[in-house]
Amino acid sequence: MKKITLLLLVLFGFTAIVNAQTQSSIVVTKINGQTAADFKAAHPNLIEGEVITLTVEYKNILANPAETATYPNPRLRARVLNDYATIAGAVEGTVNVTTSTNVQTIDISFTIPDVANNIPTARLQALAYGVKTDLTNGNVFGYASQTFTLNNLTTLSTENFNKNELKSSFYNPSFDTIIIGDHVEGKYSIYDLSGKIVLNGTISSEINVSSLASGLYILSTNKGVLKFGK
C-alpha cells in the first residue's frame, strides 16, 4: 500500500512539473465560424450589441492562484480591445477549461460593448493564466489576425448619413437588389434607421438585399449614400 501511495505521489508530482515547464499557448482560429480574413472581408465593422464567438485553440491553461476563491478552475476569457487597451464597461466572455499539455479547442462568446467614440483599431483577444514564454506564470494572450473598426452608432448617424446622394443607383424591387449605376468602388454598409449596420460587403454592380426585412434603409459608400425602402 505504501508503494502504491508513493507511486501516485511521484506521478502527480511529475505531472505538476511537466505542466509548470510546458509553455501555454492560445490561438484564435475563427470568428463566428469564419477565418479572421473571411470574417473581416464580409464584416469590416464591429457593431455595438452584436455577439462575437471566437474559436480558440489552447494548451496548458492553469488556474490563477490569486483568483481561486472566485474561479477555482482554469478559465479562458475573450474580449474586444481599443488597440491593446481595455474598453470601459465591456463584459468579457469566459469559459472553464481543463488543464492539458495537449492542444484543445473551444468556443467563447461575448457581446460588443457600446462605445463613446469610434475605435479605428479594435482587436479581438483571448487570454488566460498560464506559462509564459519565459516559463514564469502569468497572463497569456492570443489575438485574431485582423483588426476591425468599432463604430459608435451616434457618430455613424452624423458622419455616414450626411453624404452626397448617389444619383444613378436605385433599389430594384423586382429582383430585391440595389443597382449601382454610379462609379463606386470599395466597401459598403447598409444601416437601418436606428443606425445599426444590417449588411456590409464589397461593392459590385448589384447588391442583393433579399435578407433584409421590409423597412427603410441607407446604403453608405465612400462616394455617397442611397436611401431606399423595401
Side-chain angles (χ1 to χ4, degrees):
M1 183 65 181
K2 290 182 178 179
K3 290 183 178 180
I4 294 174
T5 302
L6 180 61
L7 180 60
L8 289 173
L9 289 173
V10 170
L11 287 175
F12 281 118
F14 177 75
T15 301
I17 291 171
V18 169
N19 287 343
Q21 293 180 340
T22 300
Q23 181 180 332
S24 305
S25 65
I26 297 175
V27 179
V28 177
T29 60
K30 291 183 179 180
I31 306 170
N32 288 6
Q34 297 178 290
T35 65
D38 287 345
F39 180 80
K40 182 168 184 176
H43 198 101
N45 297 320
L46 299 177
I47 305 168
E48 294 174 339
E50 74 173 319
V51 176
I52 295 294
T53 299
L54 301 184
T55 301
V56 180
E57 292 183 353
Y58 65 94
K59 180 177 70 174
N60 200 35
I61 301 306
L62 308 176
N64 187 340
E67 300 179 338
T68 51
T70 307
Y71 304 106
N73 300 310
R75 65 186 184 118
L76 268 170
R77 298 147 58 195
R79 59 190 181 183
V80 61
L81 300 176
N82 181 354
D83 201 2
Y84 292 102
T86 56
I87 298 174
V91 178
E92 299 178 347
T94 182
V95 61
N96 291 338
V97 297
T98 57
T99 299
S100 174
T101 55
N102 297 319
V103 175
Q104 302 179 79
T105 303
I106 201 165
D107 289 340
I108 315 173
S109 298
F110 60 96
T111 301
I112 298 298
D114 292 344
V115 292
N117 300 293
N118 290 348
I119 296 176
T121 308
R123 299 181 189 275
L124 302 179
Q125 180 197 66
L127 68 156
Y129 187 83
V131 182
K132 301 187 293 184
T133 54
D134 61 1
L135 299 184
T136 62
N137 289 358
N139 283 330
V140 181
F141 308 97
Y143 295 88
S145 59
Q146 304 285 329
T147 60
F148 300 85
T149 299
L150 202 174
N151 287 310
N152 169 265
L153 294 183
T154 302
T155 305
L156 279 175
S157 64
T158 57
E159 290 182 359
N160 287 57
F161 295 172
N162 292 336
K163 295 179 179 178
N164 295 327
E165 289 195 24
L166 299 174
K167 299 297 184 182
S168 301
S169 301
F170 59 94
Y171 171 64
N172 184 339
S174 298
F175 296 95
D176 214 359
T177 59
I178 296 174
I179 307 300
I180 303 297
D182 301 83
H183 182 68
V184 184
E185 297 178 345
K187 302 290 185 179
Y188 72 86
S189 295
I190 295 177
Y191 302 87
D192 63 19
L193 294 188
S194 73
K196 180 181 178 181
I197 298 176
V198 293
L199 192 66
N200 54 21
T202 301
I203 295 170
S204 60
S205 60
E206 295 184 6
I207 299 174
N208 189 316
V209 293
S210 60
S211 61
L212 301 181
S214 297
L216 299 175
Y217 299 94
I218 299 175
L219 167 70
S220 177
T221 73
N222 60 358
K223 295 292 186 180
V225 299
L226 172 68
K227 301 173 184 178
F228 67 98
K230 58 165 291 185

